[in-house]
């Protein structure tokens, strides 16, 4: 029996007992896990920094966000409920949520603690067991986090599986896996979808647009664009990937964005391979007619400068694909309508942002943008419990919030009458 088969078999054997554990006790274990993460936040942030180069403050914030998510599921899990149906007076009719079984949580390197805690927390809260397979690009923080938490639960309820993409593929295709929850590239997501018969929860990245309307303050808009494009060196699923700016504010916006890009502090990309991929898209755009406002040069290590490109067109790869680097490609549009049309184009459907002072434009944007999350006048933010649902090439299934508990459960209908 292979290591993957052994881990999955152990998870399946442990699942029945964990499902029978009172929901309040499962919640208490998750609350203890959240407290342990907070206590180890410095150690986990240092491991994240060593694995991927993410700035310590950002990595530390990711750990605290993960702890907060575990706290949410510690509270939400015991409140997750079914329904009573109104049938015959002599019968009882119920719709009862039950855990699906064994969950494979395949998580990325760019925010390994926060994302893993969402999937692990929701799965465990409702009685599933979890096999966590972190990215091979962040193996140390993934192992450390899982092992820090595992002994708070019964044996084999939470396990860690090392390895590269081959281990992830073997895990996702195991017959004993009931749910595959994957956050990562669209290519990996498509491969999982083609080889797994399990319930799939896939968040496969995006190509998030930022639409800047006329009448907004150019300096404020540039600050928002820089925050969206350069945080974690652009290595976030919800990074700003393409910018459509109204011609009325384009010139001062680009001038302010150049300054913001040069002042924004970023860490390195995850490795040289990632740096080269980002630079390849930038070079293609320049050769196709884009102009370099700043950045766009190679260094000897995996760092890549914050880069602003002007005169971009929607057909350029830097505008069509997820760049996953600190690049802000800008396309000037003559009207809000045209910008919205372009922002609505493309196969991805993760998130989008519109900056506008026009209430009608804001209303149209959130109604028409075919994405799971729309942000108006802020590239990041949102209330706790928001359950984003990616569309198109960005994936399927809810992520976070009470709705993720629904994804991690299946429903049984019960009709019960008295015996004669």
């Amino acid at each position: 029996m292979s290591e993957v088969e052994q881990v999955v078999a152990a998870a399946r054997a442990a699942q029945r007992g964990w499902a029978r554990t009172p929901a309040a006790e499962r919640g208490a274990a998750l609350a203890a896990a959240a407290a342990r993460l907070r206590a180890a936040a410095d150690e986990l942030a240092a491991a994240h920094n060593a694995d991927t180069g993410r700035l310590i403050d950002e990595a530390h914030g990711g750990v605290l966000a993960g702890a907060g998510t575990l706290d949410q599921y510690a509270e939400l899990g015991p409140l997750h409920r079914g329904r009573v149906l109104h049938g015959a007076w002599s019968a009882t009719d119920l719709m009862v949520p039950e855990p699906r079984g064994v969950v494979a949580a395949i998580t990325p390197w760019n925010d390994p603690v926060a994302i893993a805690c969402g999937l692990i927390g929701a799965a465990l809260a409702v009685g599933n067991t979890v096999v966590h397979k972190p990215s091979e690009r962040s193996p140390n923080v993934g192992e450390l986090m899982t092992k820090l938490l595992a002994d708070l639960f019964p044996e084999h309820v939470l396990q860690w599986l090392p390895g590269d993409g081959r281990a992830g593929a073997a895990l996702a295709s195991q017959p004993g896996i009931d749910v595959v929850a994957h956050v990562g590239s669209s290519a990996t997501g498509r491969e999982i979808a083609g080889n797994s018969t399990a319930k799939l929860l896939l968040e496969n990245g995006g190509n998030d647009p930022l639409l800047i309307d006329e009448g907004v303050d150019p300096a404020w808009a540039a600050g928002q664009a820089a925050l969206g494009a350069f945080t974690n060196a652009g290595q976030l699923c919800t990074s700003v990937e393409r910018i459509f700016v109204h011609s009325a504010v384009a010139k001062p916006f680009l001038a302010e964005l150049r300054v913001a890009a040069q002042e924004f502090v970023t860490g390195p990309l995850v490795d040289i391979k990632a740096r080269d991929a980002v630079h390849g898209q930038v070079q293609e755009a320049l050769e196709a007619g884009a102009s370099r406002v700043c950045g766009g040069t190679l260094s000897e290590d995996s760092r890549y400068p914050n880069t602003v490109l002007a005169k971009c067109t929607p057909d350029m790869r830097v505008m069509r694909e997820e760049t996953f680097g600190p690049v802000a490609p800008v396309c000037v549009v003559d009207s809000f309508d045209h910008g919205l049309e372009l922002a609505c184009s493309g196969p991805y459907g993760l998130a989008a942002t519109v900056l506008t002072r026009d209430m009608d434009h804001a209303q149209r944007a959130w109604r028409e943008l075919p994405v799971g999350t729309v942000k108006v006048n802020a590239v990041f933010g949102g209330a706790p419990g928001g359950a984003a649902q990616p569309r198109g090439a960005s994936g399927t299934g809810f992520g976070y919030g009470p709705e993720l508990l629904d994804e991690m459960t299946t429903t049984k209908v019960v009709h019960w009458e008295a015996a004669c």
Side-chain angles (χ1 to χ4, degrees):
M1 185 181 290
S2 70
E3 180 181 8
V4 173
E5 291 172 323
Q6 290 175 1
V7 168
V8 173
R12 180 153 297 283
Q15 193 273 323
R16 188 176 184 183
W18 180 241
R20 292 183 175 187
T21 300
E25 291 184 21
R26 296 197 300 258
L30 287 172
R36 186 168 289 184
L37 278 190
R38 290 189 177 94
D42 291 345
E43 184 182 6
L44 285 162
H48 187 181
N49 172 265
D51 276 349
T52 70
R54 188 166 190 181
L55 298 177
I56 287 289
D57 286 349
E58 292 182 356
H60 197 273
V63 176
L64 297 183
T69 300
L70 290 179
D71 273 333
Q72 286 183 40
Y73 286 121
E75 297 180 4
L76 289 172
L79 301 179
H80 192 241
R81 64 193 67 181
R83 294 168 56 196
V84 176
L85 305 176
H86 300 290
W89 180 261
S90 60
T92 299
D93 290 273
L94 307 171
M95 292 179 65
V96 182
E98 296 183 328
R100 289 184 176 271
V102 181
V103 176
I106 303 175
T107 58
W109 52 266
N110 58 323
D111 206 355
V113 177
I115 292 173
C117 284
L119 301 178
I120 291 170
L124 295 181
V126 291
N128 299 288
T129 52
V130 176
V131 178
H132 179 211
K133 186 339 195 141
S135 170
E136 62 272 24
R137 283 172 154 172
S138 57
N140 296 313
V141 67
E143 178 183 8
L144 175 61
M145 186 203 77
T146 310
K147 290 185 174 180
L148 273 172
L149 304 186
D151 68 357
L152 295 170
F153 305 93
E155 188 177 19
H156 300 140
V157 165
L158 174 60
Q159 299 176 85
W160 167 73
L161 179 70
D164 58 15
R166 291 169 294 183
L171 177 63
S173 61
Q174 276 295 305
I177 292 294
D178 300 290
V179 179
V180 177
H182 168 261
V183 178
S185 73
S186 56
T188 301
R190 287 193 297 269
E191 182 179 348
I192 289 172
N195 293 288
S196 177
T197 58
K199 161 80 173 179
L200 300 180
L201 302 175
L202 305 176
E203 200 267 74
N204 297 335
N207 186 26
D208 294 3
L210 169 62
L211 176 56
I212 302 171
D213 202 1
E214 63 179 328
V216 303
D217 176 55
W220 168 70
Q224 287 291 308
L227 182 66
F230 305 137
T231 296
N232 195 25
Q235 299 172 118
L236 295 175
C237 299
T238 54
S239 292
V240 167
E241 298 282 346
R242 48 191 177 129
I243 300 172
F244 302 102
V245 59
H246 197 289
S247 57
V249 294
K251 186 174 180 179
F253 167 76
L254 279 167
E256 294 284 357
L257 184 55
R258 180 177 184 275
V259 174
Q262 293 172 333
E263 293 178 347
F264 202 100
V265 178
T266 59
L269 296 182
V270 63
D271 54 30
I272 296 292
K273 181 180 177 181
R275 181 209 66 180
D276 290 344
V278 170
H279 188 61
Q281 288 195 16
V282 170
Q283 289 302 112
E284 281 186 24
L286 294 172
E287 292 168 4
S291 63
R292 185 188 354 247
V293 177
C294 63
T297 57
L298 282 175
S299 62
E300 293 184 358
D301 58 15
S302 63
R303 293 180 181 274
Y304 198 76
N306 296 336
T307 299
V308 178
L309 301 177
K311 299 181 181 179
C312 292
T313 57
D315 60 308
M316 293 176 179
R317 193 158 65 97
V318 75
M319 296 284 282
R320 290 186 291 106
E321 298 181 7
E322 186 177 39
T323 305
F324 230 61
V327 180
V330 180
C331 174
V332 177
V333 295
D334 291 328
S335 68
F336 178 83
D337 288 350
H338 188 211
L340 182 58
E341 178 186 0
L342 293 175
C344 289
S345 66
Y348 291 94
L350 189 58
T353 305
V354 58
L355 306 181
T356 183
R357 296 171 62 88
D358 187 311
M359 290 293 290
D360 179 63
H361 286 176
Q363 179 78 1
R364 283 186 53 207
W366 82 256
R367 289 285 190 186
E368 296 180 20
L369 284 160
V371 298
T373 302
V374 177
K375 295 158 286 184
V376 180
N377 294 332
V379 294
F380 295 134
Q389 188 176 34
R391 303 183 185 182
S394 289
T396 183
F398 282 102
Y400 298 101
E403 288 79 4
L404 186 52
L405 297 178
D406 296 333
E407 300 279 14
M408 294 290 184
T409 53
T410 187
T411 301
K412 179 178 289 181
V413 175
V414 179
H415 175 73
W416 183 355
E417 295 188 16
C420 294

